[in-house]
Amino acid sequence: MNAQSRKIHNLVLIRYNMPPPTEWHNGTSYNLDHKWLERRHDLFKRYCLPSLQRQRHEFTALIYFDERTPVDYIDSICSDPFIQPILTSQHATTSEEMLQEVVRGIGAWTWRMQEIGALHVGNVVSTTRLDSDDAISPEYLHLVNSSYEERGCPDEEYIYFPTGQEFSILEGHYYIRNYPKNAFGTLYERWNGQALRTVMHCQHPQLLKEHAHNSTPLEPGTPHWCIIVHENNVRNQIKGKPVEHGYFRVQDYEANLSEGTL
């Protein structure tokens, strides 16, 4: 396998404020509410973004917005050079239709990459799922890429960390949780010049049941993702076991970055 065919493009997919499907809260557009956006902006900047800035591996974050979102707001979220916005307009009926819209959004990225000669048939594209109010460890992308390369870069493989953290903003405490079907995971696919399935092609609990790819767990017992538990979580119940310290810190993340204590 030559160097060109082994080239890996790493994408992190973040649904920021896509139009909610009608099965969620009857399709009300809370995603455009000013107070909701302010709170989401704070969570993203405080927890999610710093975890991306700390990654040891090159990647692009594709962030999905409702096209009606104010431009200034989108520009603020996408101020880092590794972030690209994708504007969406479809009002899906179900969560599955919403995922299909995310997959279609990758088409715009592949078209741009092909046009500039950066994406070639035979290249590998990895897609990692991340919510805008959660975080991943600084080693996350480095570890999944290293594992994939050690396995000889198969045509399709799903790599995930069974163990993660929960961090309660209200309590300021960490919890460790074993949850193999978690919403954090990376799917590797070899580009065939047509379409990518991406890690978003199905609901995350189904990814371990897929027969189209191998599923490889990494570092069981060591947390590499973190669910931030806050008052606006859809599901804000702590399910892990309390620990004195998190494996990687998310509390006061920006301050720790500047002090070099992470």
Side-chain angles (χ1 to χ4, degrees):
M1 188 179 295
N2 60 44
Q4 179 59 53
S5 65
R6 290 177 65 95
K7 182 175 177 59
I8 300 173
H9 301 267
N10 298 108
L11 302 179
V12 177
L13 309 183
I14 300 175
R15 295 178 296 175
Y16 196 89
N17 72 327
M18 293 178 67
T22 53
E23 70 177 10
W24 295 5
H25 308 293
N26 295 317
T28 54
S29 295
Y30 63 87
N31 64 313
L32 297 174
D33 178 77
H34 179 69
K35 289 184 178 180
W36 187 91
L37 286 172
E38 277 192 344
R39 180 60 173 154
R40 184 60 44 149
H41 184 277
D42 179 68
L43 289 167
F44 177 77
K45 292 285 189 176
R46 187 178 298 273
Y47 300 107
C48 184
L49 179 61
S51 79
L52 294 173
Q53 292 169 333
R54 288 282 288 177
Q55 293 306 304
R56 296 170 53 191
H57 215 286
E58 183 178 349
F59 70 100
T60 298
L62 301 182
I63 301 187
Y64 290 73
F65 295 93
D66 188 314
E67 66 177 5
R68 298 168 294 177
T69 307
V71 174
D72 290 347
Y73 185 89
I74 295 175
D75 289 343
S76 174
I77 294 297
C78 299
S79 56
D80 286 78
F82 59 80
I83 296 177
Q84 293 183 16
I86 293 184
L87 304 184
T88 60
S89 60
Q90 179 172 329
H91 290 264
T93 302
T94 65
S95 299
E96 285 70 22
E97 289 180 3
M98 190 182 194
L99 292 180
Q100 292 170 13
E101 182 70 7
V102 174
V103 174
R104 282 192 291 270
I106 299 294
W109 176 84
T110 56
W111 182 83
R112 285 195 301 269
M113 295 295 284
Q114 286 182 102
E115 222 184 28
I116 65 175
L119 179 64
H120 303 275
V121 172
N123 287 174
V124 172
V125 179
S126 81
T127 50
T128 299
R129 180 175 183 150
L130 179 63
D131 287 343
S132 62
D133 55 347
D134 291 332
I136 52 178
S137 77
E139 299 89 9
Y140 187 103
L141 292 177
H142 170 72
L143 290 173
V144 291
N145 266 27
S146 296
S147 173
Y148 177 73
E149 290 175 334
E150 288 171 2
R151 286 168 171 75
C153 300
D155 288 346
E156 188 165 332
E157 183 167 9
Y158 179 64
I159 300 178
Y160 65 100
F161 295 98
T163 307
Q165 300 178 160
E166 296 167 326
F167 174 71
S168 169
I169 293 179
L170 180 63
E171 301 172 343
H173 293 159
Y174 289 91
Y175 299 79
I176 190 168
R177 180 179 178 186
N178 183 50
Y179 181 30
K181 295 180 180 179
N182 64 77
F184 308 80
T186 301
L187 181 65
Y188 289 83
E189 302 173 73
R190 193 166 301 281
W191 170 245
N192 61 9
Q194 297 178 9
L196 293 167
R197 295 203 307 154
T198 86
V199 74
M200 293 285 211
H201 75 275
C202 66
Q203 300 290 355
H204 61 86
Q206 300 171 348
L207 285 164
L208 295 184
K209 302 176 182 178
E210 281 270 355
H211 297 293
H213 57 249
N214 294 322
S215 295
T216 302
L218 292 186
E219 299 199 4
T222 303
H224 283 288
W225 46 265
C226 187
I227 296 173
I228 309 300
V229 180
H230 54 89
E231 68 275 14
N232 292 323
N233 275 103
V234 176
R235 297 180 177 87
N236 60 357
Q237 295 180 346
I238 296 292
K239 297 184 178 180
K241 296 180 179 179
V243 290
E244 186 174 353
H245 302 290
Y247 176 76
F248 64 98
R249 285 179 57 83
V250 294
Q251 187 180 22
D252 302 323
Y253 211 124
E254 291 168 304
N256 286 329
L257 276 174
S258 62
E259 295 168 7
T261 57
L262 281 175

